Coordinates of all heavy atoms in Angstrom, one line a residue:
A181 N 5.1 37.5 -33.7 CA 4.5 36.1 -33.8 C 3.8 36.0 -35.2 O 2.9 36.8 -35.4 CB 3.5 35.9 -32.7
W182 N 4.3 35.1 -36.0 CA 3.7 35.0 -37.4 C 3.9 36.3 -38.2 O 3.0 36.8 -38.8 CB 2.3 34.5 -37.4 CG 2.2 33.1 -36.9 CD1 2.3 32.0 -37.6 CD2 1.8 32.7 -35.5 NE1 2.1 30.9 -36.8 CE2 1.8 31.3 -35.5 CE3 1.5 33.4 -34.4 CZ2 1.6 30.6 -34.3 CZ3 1.3 32.7 -33.2 CH2 1.3 31.3 -33.2
C183 N 5.1 36.9 -38.0 CA 5.4 38.1 -38.6 C 5.3 38.1 -40.2 O 5.0 39.2 -40.8 CB 6.8 38.6 -38.3 SG 8.1 37.4 -38.7
Q184 N 5.3 36.9 -40.7 CA 5.2 36.9 -42.2 C 3.8 37.3 -42.7 O 3.7 37.7 -43.8 CB 5.5 35.4 -42.7 CG 4.6 34.4 -42.2 CD 5.0 33.8 -40.9 OE1 5.8 34.4 -40.2 NE2 4.4 32.7 -40.6
N185 N 2.8 37.2 -41.8 CA 1.5 37.6 -42.2 C 1.4 39.1 -42.5 O 0.6 39.6 -43.3 CB 0.5 37.3 -41.0 CG 0.2 35.9 -40.9 OD1 0.5 35.1 -41.8 ND2 -0.2 35.4 -39.7
V186 N 2.3 39.9 -41.9 CA 2.2 41.3 -42.1 C 3.6 41.9 -42.7 O 3.8 43.1 -42.7 CB 1.9 42.1 -40.8 CG1 0.4 41.8 -40.4 CG2 2.8 41.7 -39.6
D187 N 4.5 41.0 -43.0 CA 5.7 41.3 -43.7 C 6.6 42.3 -42.9 O 7.0 43.3 -43.5 CB 5.4 41.8 -45.1 CG 6.7 41.8 -45.9 OD1 7.6 41.0 -45.6 OD2 6.7 42.6 -46.9
N188 N 6.8 42.1 -41.6 CA 7.6 43.0 -40.9 C 8.5 42.3 -39.9 O 8.7 42.7 -38.7 CB 6.7 44.0 -40.1 CG 6.0 43.4 -39.0 OD1 5.6 42.2 -39.0 ND2 5.6 44.2 -37.9
C189 N 9.0 41.1 -40.3 CA 9.9 40.3 -39.4 C 11.1 41.0 -38.9 O 11.7 40.8 -37.8 CB 10.2 39.0 -40.0 SG 8.8 37.9 -40.4
E190 N 11.6 42.0 -39.6 CA 12.8 42.7 -39.3 C 12.5 44.1 -38.8 O 13.5 44.9 -38.5 CB 13.8 42.9 -40.6 CG 14.2 41.5 -41.1 CD 14.9 40.6 -40.2 OE1 15.7 41.1 -39.3 OE2 14.7 39.4 -40.2
E191 N 11.3 44.4 -38.6 CA 10.9 45.8 -38.1 C 11.4 45.9 -36.6 O 11.4 45.0 -35.9 CB 9.4 45.9 -38.2 CG 8.8 47.3 -37.9 CD 8.5 47.4 -36.4 OE1 8.0 46.5 -35.8 OE2 8.7 48.5 -35.9
P192 N 11.9 47.1 -36.2 CA 12.6 47.3 -34.9 C 11.6 46.9 -33.7 O 12.1 46.2 -32.8 CB 12.9 48.8 -34.9 CG 13.1 49.2 -36.3 CD 12.1 48.3 -37.1
L193 N 10.4 47.3 -33.7 CA 9.5 46.9 -32.6 C 9.3 45.4 -32.5 O 9.2 44.8 -31.5 CB 8.2 47.6 -32.7 CG 8.2 49.1 -32.3 CD1 6.8 49.7 -32.3 CD2 8.8 49.4 -30.9
A194 N 9.2 44.8 -33.7 CA 9.0 43.3 -33.8 C 10.2 42.6 -33.1 O 10.1 41.7 -32.3 CB 8.9 42.9 -35.2
M195 N 11.5 43.1 -33.4 CA 12.6 42.5 -32.8 C 12.7 42.7 -31.3 O 13.1 41.9 -30.5 CB 13.9 43.1 -33.5 CG 13.9 42.9 -35.0 SD 14.0 41.2 -35.5 CE 15.7 40.9 -35.1

Side-chain angles (χ1 to χ4, degrees):
W182 293 277
C183 56
Q184 65 273 15
N185 290 337
V186 292
D187 193 26
N188 70 332
C189 295
E190 303 300 322
E191 188 269 324
L193 285 184
M195 302 295 287

